[in-house]
Amino acid sequence: MGKEKEIVVSGIRSTGILHLGNYFGAIRNYIRMQEEFNCYFFVADWHSLTTHPDPKALRGNVFRVLAENIASGLDPEKVILYVQSDIPEIAELYLMLNMMAYKGELEKVPTFKDKVRQNPDNVNAGLLTYPVLMSADILIHRGLKVPVGKDQEQHLEMSRNFAQRFNNRYGYLFPEPVPFNFGDDLIRIMSLDGNGKMSKSENQNATIYLNDTDDAIRNKIKKAKTDSGPQAPNSEKPDYIANLFTIMRLVSTPDTVRHFEDAFNNCSIRYGDMKKQLAEDMAAFIRPIREKAEAIEHDAAYLNRIMRMGAEKARESAAATLREARKLMGINFY
Ligand code: AQP
């Protein structure tokens, strides 16, 4: 018998068009992991209700996330690709874990505080308990590795706490999940104006989306924040310049990156040239994903088939975990 494959779980909220941060923080690793691991990837439609409760937009957004994952190279025959709301077991585990999550620790989460600042009129309990639902998403499959961007690091620490509390109180059931980026630091792509991270719903003019046209990409990169250049050799890069280099490293050749690194270090860099090169490399990178995603997102019959297939497999795993959780908690009366 071969060694059992490790279980991987990760999700993306259906709140709009995916962007470079989603791609390099999450999807790129999904694709790299699909051969070696037992992967559960899902569209987090329940999570989207905390900030985007528009019923008319939901179906299109869910289809879009599925299509963009598949267009990026995810193979629904190799991974279990599903929609969160198709798995009611997640909601039951969420309820159980809520009994182990404390108001104080939830209120301290920086992403919660950010959302409160952005939407002071909609501070709902779903927003507060986002890390609990996220933990249920992972623990329902007894997931171990979680490919995510840096912004999710703290949520995962909470997932480990909830897993530990459950195990201590009721008996061992859950491994403690860890963030995963093939041994490298987790990725954070800042927005091009230097204000916060690239995001589906904030900073839209300074975020590069997987459906941006070549011209839109050129325009956005042209407007990216820079300055008059380094004043001394081998200076430290300001964060918005470091971000441009981070992005360049993801889509340009190593020679190109080295050329501009050298130019930065000897103070000869012209940011206009760097942006032009970056824009062309970025457009070439996004183009095939955009074109494929457009075709897939309108193929409702195909996407419905994928969703059904994924839901069936994900429910099997979820139901098995929930049976164990109920037994350990004493919820087995018949
Ligand atoms: N800027 C980013 N850099 C690196 N990784 C990122 N991720 C998101 N933004 C960046 C990663 O993408 C995955 C899916 O994120 P999500 O949609 O579930 O969560 P989110 O934080 O709500 O994403 P957005 O894009 O910022 O959406 P909105 O604007 O709707 O809130 C996660 O692995 C995340 O780390």
Side-chain angles (χ1 to χ4, degrees), residues 56 70 107 115 118 145 155 168 200 258 262 288 311:
K56 286 197 275 316
I70 297 167
E107 279 171 343
K115 298 279 184 212
Q118 287 159 8
K145 289 196 158 75
H155 294 161
N168 288 341
K200 293 189 224 90
R258 206 168 310 119
D262 290 347

Side-chain angles (χ1 to χ4, degrees), residues 10-15 18-26 30 44 51-52 115 130 147-152 187-190 197-202:
S10 187
I12 298 187
R13 298 204 311 150
S14 44
T15 46
L18 302 192
H19 53 80
L20 279 193
N22 300 134
Y23 183 89
F24 286 107
Y30 297 0
T51 54
H52 290 64
K115 298 279 184 212
Y130 182 104
V148 280
K150 185 141 184 75
D151 54 314
Q152 296 293 340
I187 289 201
R188 177 175 196 264
I189 311 260
M190 278 175 62
K197 64 168 195 147
M198 284 200 185
S199 149
K200 293 189 224 90
S201 28
E202 306 292 321

Side-chain angles (χ1 to χ4, degrees), residues 108-120:
K108 271 195 269 171
V109 174
T111 46
F112 172 68
K113 290 193 197 157
D114 286 348
K115 298 279 184 212
V116 170
R117 253 192 309 275
Q118 287 159 8
N119 295 298

Side-chain angles (χ1 to χ4, degrees), residues 24-41:
F24 286 107
I27 297 177
R28 180 176 62 162
N29 281 343
Y30 297 0
I31 294 152
R32 290 160 82 187
M33 295 179 96
Q34 65 185 342
E35 308 290 341
E36 260 179 86
F37 296 91
N38 190 0
C39 296
Y40 293 85
F41 297 133

Side-chain angles (χ1 to χ4, degrees), residues 36-55:
E36 260 179 86
F37 296 91
N38 190 0
C39 296
Y40 293 85
F41 297 133
F42 63 96
V43 184
D45 58 339
W46 280 336
H47 279 290
S48 74
L49 301 180
T50 56
T51 54
H52 290 64
D54 177 3

